[in-house]
Amino acid sequence: MTRGRFITFEGIDGAGKSTHLAWAQQLLQGMQIKHVVTREPGGTPLGEQLRELLLGSGQPIHSETEALMIFAARRQHLEEVIQPALQRGDWVLCDRFTDASFAYQGGGRGVPKGKLEALETWTHPHLQPDLTLFFDVSAEVGRERVARIKSPDRFEREGVAFFARVRDAYVDRMRAAPQRITRIDGDKSIAEIRTEVEERLSQLWKK
Ligand code: ADP
Ligand code: TYD
């Protein structure tokens, strides 16, 4: 049996990941491809508890503690959800993965890249997504879109300068892995982006 495909959705808050992940799910349903939709941090009961602490916590969290909690959730997620699904031959659509740690904890919070690379190697030495869709919007556009949210979480409360650093770190990550990470201009209309997502998914299907 062939291994399923692992597709991740990335971008700063407000870039449109959730909107387009829902579209990708519809496309896979239409193609009758068995798939699992999941997210990070989260995706398992333990991971969702860690997510609540990370997103909702009123108490201070050191930037490296934050990174360790996210990778702890990820290790459990790989074990319980991602690897079993791929081994069954299901595709996995995941709202964020390790690129987000390089972007938010690395770019945003300033955790040294070497430490994040060590955590990446520890947590998933042999696995990378088959395809990463990076929805790219400026920090200002992202901010404007999340400003409509009534109760922003710990990350969404950050300012434009934080999101500009997060975006720059995503771009660095994309330059280092251009075969895997595809940039999609998140400023385009939802209809145009849908077409691009569809093209990318069908290329992966044919591989
Ligand atoms: P994310 O999951 O990346 O934080 P969402 O998919 O929740 O972002 O989108 C944030 C907001 O921006 C939503 O109100 C959504 O309808 C809107 N949105 C998403 N993509 C676009 C787009 N291409 N053009 C205009 N608005 C968009
Ligand atoms: P997000 O995925 O944007 O969910 P929602 O759209 O429901 O707000 O929220 C998760 C937050 O977690 C997001 O602000 C970024 C942050 N995050 C990190 O800082 N590092 C990571 O490695 C991951 C996966 C997420």
Side-chain angles (χ1 to χ4, degrees):
M1 183 198 295
T2 48
R3 175 185 162 285
R5 310 278 202 279
F6 182 26
I7 307 166
T8 58
F9 293 71
E10 297 283 359
I12 64 170
D13 289 79
K17 292 176 314 302
S18 314
T19 304
H20 302 298
L21 196 153
W23 168 240
Q25 184 176 14
Q26 278 186 44
L27 290 171
L28 292 192
Q29 271 162 1
M31 291 157 89
Q32 299 191 321
I33 295 175
K34 283 182 76 184
H35 60 276
V36 169
V37 175
T38 188
R39 67 173 182 182
E40 290 210 345
T44 66
L46 176 68
E48 290 294 328
Q49 284 189 351
L50 286 167
R51 181 186 176 98
E52 266 180 44
L53 290 172
L54 283 158
L55 269 57
S57 178
Q59 59 190 318
I61 304 179
H62 185 271
S63 56
E64 293 188 4
T65 310
E66 185 177 278
L68 290 165
M69 288 168 73
I70 288 171
F71 273 95
R74 180 164 298 137
R75 182 66 190 86
Q76 194 67 23
H77 194 206
L78 283 156
E79 191 67 20
E80 278 185 39
V81 178
I82 298 174
Q83 285 166 335
L86 294 175
Q87 276 156 17
R88 282 197 304 272
D90 291 1
W91 288 32
V92 175
L93 301 181
C94 192
D95 194 339
R96 302 187 183 280
F97 192 60
T98 297
D99 296 314
S101 305
F102 281 86
Y104 282 79
Q105 281 62 56
R109 305 271 195 235
V111 174
K113 203 170 155 191
K115 290 192 175 182
L116 297 170
E117 283 167 350
L119 288 172
E120 178 181 37
T121 305
W122 184 3
T123 309
H124 52 98
H126 308 299
L127 179 75
Q128 283 294 341
D130 297 292
L131 173 68
T132 297
L133 300 175
F134 164 46
F135 297 92
D136 190 20
V137 293
S138 68
E140 288 77 12
V141 168
R143 199 61 254 132
E144 199 183 296
R145 288 191 191 159
V146 297
R148 299 178 210 136
I149 299 170
K150 284 201 192 84
S151 47
D153 64 38
R154 243 181 93 247
F155 292 96
E156 288 159 348
R157 287 197 292 272
E158 294 287 345
V160 168
F162 176 86
F163 286 105
R165 293 197 301 277
V166 173
R167 181 193 169 262
D168 288 348
Y170 268 127
V171 171
D172 284 350
R173 192 86 176 143
M174 182 184 68
R175 293 202 174 118
Q179 303 291 338
R180 171 174 69 83
I181 307 179
T182 294
R183 177 183 177 277
I184 292 183
D185 183 350
D187 264 338
K188 287 188 180 168
S189 71
I190 291 179
E192 285 173 296
I193 295 174
R194 283 182 162 195
T195 307
E196 281 193 47
V197 169
E198 191 165 1
E199 276 167 15
R200 295 293 166 186
L201 289 186
S202 46
Q203 281 167 5
L204 199 59
W205 171 237
K206 286 177 201 143
K207 267 191 192 168

